[in-house]
Amino acid sequence: MMNQIGSIAITRRSFFAISLGAAAGGLLGGCHFAPERRGTLLSGFENARGEQFVGGVSLETGEIFGAPIPMRAHGCAVDPKDPSRAFFFARRPGTVCFEFNLLTRRATPIFETPEGRHLSGHGVFSASGDVLYTPEHDYENAK
């Protein structure tokens, strides 16, 4: 199934099967109330042409949005001190971390791994929010 929203046709398992909304709707099919949907789901994804994006879907409006990036991304970490900033991590063999601004919807490269290493697609902020941790693979030395 291919969805076309603006100029972004998404796949990534139809953006997590339309972000599991269909599953939730199926479970509540016999109920007569409409739970309020709030928030945003964020992920890296690709369109039908294989172009890579970081972005998300609004649970309130269903709007899918994203910014193009030059490599595959996977997970992200939202800045606990500024929730309008999310950091997306390239997936192997990617080497770049991108900052995605949820207000401007633009992605900017923030850092690149040293030569001979790549990111694993994940990261997390410290409890204080001052440090962003992300694992790297040292593939030349098999570490």
Side-chain angles (χ1 to χ4, degrees):
M1 180 175 166
M2 191 61 53
N3 296 314
Q4 182 78 27
I5 305 295
S7 63
I8 302 173
I10 66 166
T11 56
R12 182 85 188 252
R13 304 279 195 306
S14 289
F15 200 66
F16 300 124
I18 305 303
S19 305
L20 303 175
L27 293 173
L28 300 173
C31 297
H32 297 299
F33 67 92
E36 188 175 337
R37 293 185 181 171
R38 296 174 133 181
T40 303
L41 299 177
L42 300 171
S43 182
F45 58 95
E46 73 179 24
N47 66 13
R49 293 182 299 276
E51 298 166 322
Q52 304 298 314
F53 295 85
V54 293
V57 60
S58 166
L59 295 178
E60 295 170 47
T61 65
E63 176 192 12
I64 298 169
F65 56 88
I69 58 171
M71 61 189 64
R72 291 187 319 159
H74 186 62
C76 69
V78 176
D79 185 339
K81 293 185 173 185
D82 182 357
S84 69
R85 298 171 50 191
F87 294 84
F88 282 86
F89 309 99
R91 233 185 122 152
R92 64 176 192 258
T95 58
V96 179
C97 175
F98 298 91
E99 178 185 347
F100 181 71
N101 184 304
L102 279 86
L103 302 175
T104 64
R105 298 191 175 165
R106 294 185 182 186
T108 307
I110 296 299
F111 68 82
E112 188 165 357
T113 61
E115 190 171 326
R117 295 175 179 252
H118 60 76
L119 295 172
S120 67
H122 298 277
V124 65
F125 276 91
S126 64
S128 68
D130 293 329
V131 179
L132 175 63
Y133 296 100
T134 184
E136 296 177 357
H137 295 279
D138 180 356
Y139 56 88
E140 290 183 355
N141 295 309
K143 294 182 182 180

